Amino acid sequence: MSFVEYGDTIKDGDTAIVFLGHESMFPVKVQHGTVTQTKYGVIRHSTDLIGKKYGSKVTCSKGGWVFILHPTPELWTMNLPHRTQILYSTDISVITMMLELKPGSIVCESGTGSGSLSHALIRTVAPTGHLYTVEFHQQRAEKAREEFREHGVEHLVTVTNQDVCKNGFGVSNIADAVFLDIPSPWEAIGHAKSALKAEGGRICSFSPCIEQVQRTCLAMEEHGFTEINTLEILLRVYNVRTISLQIPDLGKAAEDNSSTGFDSSNPSNRGSPSTNLQQGTVQFKSGMPLREMVGHTGYLTFATKS
């Protein structure tokens, strides 16, 4: 199993996603002799998982069932253990595009955190690219190395435990792109410039506060970066549902309608617009925004090395 190479069959040691529903799923490490408890009952790894195909429908001990999915960066972002606040797919997709990443790209990242963005970057630059990721916190760096090894992508990533603001990324003049997600990104702009290739490399900085953005933009200008711009990505979700609206009283038009002999009890008329003349309402499908939405996550500042 690898996050960048698809496999058909579930094997011992794989990380799999147990899918109970669109709002309910979790990761599990497949191991011989292990069981996993769900609200539908027990899943026995030896008999229910190992040797089965990814995507299989597995019946639990209580008679309920779940699907076992192959892990992807998108599913991992939704289910990973949080060691820090993470980036989600909305921001990740824009970062990947605006940094102009592709297979073979060399990327530097700081900090690694919970590895949400890291997995997406690795999948994007595979099979010939590489990710150099720097994490200040030693335990988080060690945990990230362990996860990358379990997920079969350790050959595509190098994890370094150091302070990027003082010591940089450990590479020079090779990176196609640099990503910063640290409290004081303006202190690392010089090291980012040194890590980027001679000309045309892209940089992105993620910051939750506009004051951080202001200082970062000033530092980018001082180091000769061009095309500096800041984006804020907001996700608005809609529910598609059936709603009812009253039919307006159009006076004479309504009388003309009745004079035409329209009979709502006639089966041939029931398939016409979903109207109920007795109640004076019409029903139709509509997209309604949620009353609450995920608002500000952070500002994304992009620039190009001149």
Side-chain angles (χ1 to χ4, degrees):
M1 185 279 303
S2 171
F3 272 56
V4 297
E5 296 176 1
Y6 183 78
D8 288 330
T9 307
I10 304 172
K11 299 181 178 64
D12 186 23
D14 281 3
T15 298
I17 305 297
V18 180
F19 181 88
L20 293 84
H22 289 293
E23 302 296 330
S24 180
M25 58 184 117
F26 60 89
V28 62
K29 184 173 181 179
V30 180
Q31 293 178 307
H32 270 295
T34 303
V35 298
T36 297
Q37 295 282 350
T38 75
K39 62 182 180 181
Y40 301 127
V42 171
I43 301 173
R44 295 175 176 82
H45 293 200
S46 299
T47 58
D48 297 333
L49 298 184
I50 297 176
K52 300 289 182 64
K53 287 189 175 183
Y54 279 107
S56 296
K57 183 178 179 180
V58 174
T59 302
C60 304
S61 61
K62 293 182 180 179
W65 47 267
V66 299
F67 288 105
I68 308 300
L69 305 181
H70 193 286
T72 65
E74 291 80 9
L75 288 174
W76 187 245
T77 290
M78 298 170 63
N79 295 283
L80 58 77
H82 285 229
R83 299 184 288 273
T84 59
Q85 182 59 265
I86 69 169
L87 290 175
Y88 289 92
S89 298
T90 307
D91 288 315
I92 291 173
S93 59
V94 175
I95 292 168
T96 303
M97 183 188 74
M98 295 294 288
L99 289 182
E100 303 173 3
L101 301 183
K102 59 186 182 300
S105 295
I106 306 297
V107 186
C108 292
E109 174 197 26
S110 183
T112 312
S114 301
S116 174
L117 176 65
S118 304
H119 282 81
L121 295 177
I122 291 170
R123 197 260 308 272
T124 303
V125 304
T128 56
H130 201 83
L131 172 66
Y132 294 89
T133 182
V134 178
E135 173 57 51
F136 176 78
H137 194 277
Q138 182 178 358
Q139 290 180 333
R140 287 201 293 263
E142 292 174 353
K143 185 61 179 177
R145 288 194 193 96
E146 179 184 340
E147 283 183 350
F148 294 143
R149 184 170 56 254
E150 291 178 352
H151 297 166
V153 296
E154 72 276 9
H155 61 292
L156 297 170
V157 57
T158 300
V159 182
T160 305
N161 173 219
Q162 63 186 28
D163 185 350
V164 71
C165 296
K166 294 181 179 179
N167 303 313
F169 293 93
V171 297
S172 300
N173 302 318
I174 65 169
D176 297 290
V178 170
F179 176 79
L180 299 173
D181 184 6
I182 54 178
S184 52
W186 56 89
E187 295 181 1
I189 298 300
H191 293 298
K193 183 178 180 180
S194 299
L196 286 168
K197 59 187 180 182
E199 186 178 358
R202 295 279 286 167
I203 183 174
C204 174
S205 173
F206 177 91
S207 296
C209 301
I210 196 63
E211 291 82 6
Q212 294 171 302
V213 174
Q214 291 171 333
R215 296 188 66 175
T216 302
C217 289
L218 290 174
M220 287 179 176
E221 288 182 347
E222 291 174 359
H223 285 87
F225 283 89
T226 60
E227 298 178 333
I228 302 171
N229 63 89
T230 299
L231 309 176
E232 182 182 23
I233 313 301
L234 301 178
L235 177 65
R236 191 175 190 184
V237 179
Y238 280 75
N239 274 341
V240 177
R241 61 182 184 178
T242 301
I243 65 173
S244 299
L245 292 179
Q246 287 186 338
I247 298 175
D249 183 3
L250 301 179
K252 189 174 185 305
E255 296 175 3
D256 293 342
N257 186 47
S258 61
S259 66
T260 61
F262 182 87
D263 183 5
S264 62
S265 63
N266 188 337
S268 63
N269 291 329
R270 290 177 186 169
S272 321
S274 303
T275 57
N276 186 332
L277 298 180
Q278 292 180 345
Q279 297 181 0
T281 62
V282 59
Q283 293 184 334
F284 61 94
K285 295 287 186 180
S286 177
M288 303 292 291
L290 301 180
R291 293 188 177 183
E292 296 181 358
M293 63 172 279
V294 177
H296 174 75
T297 58
Y299 300 103
L300 296 171
T301 300
F302 296 92
T304 303
K305 182 177 179 180
S306 176

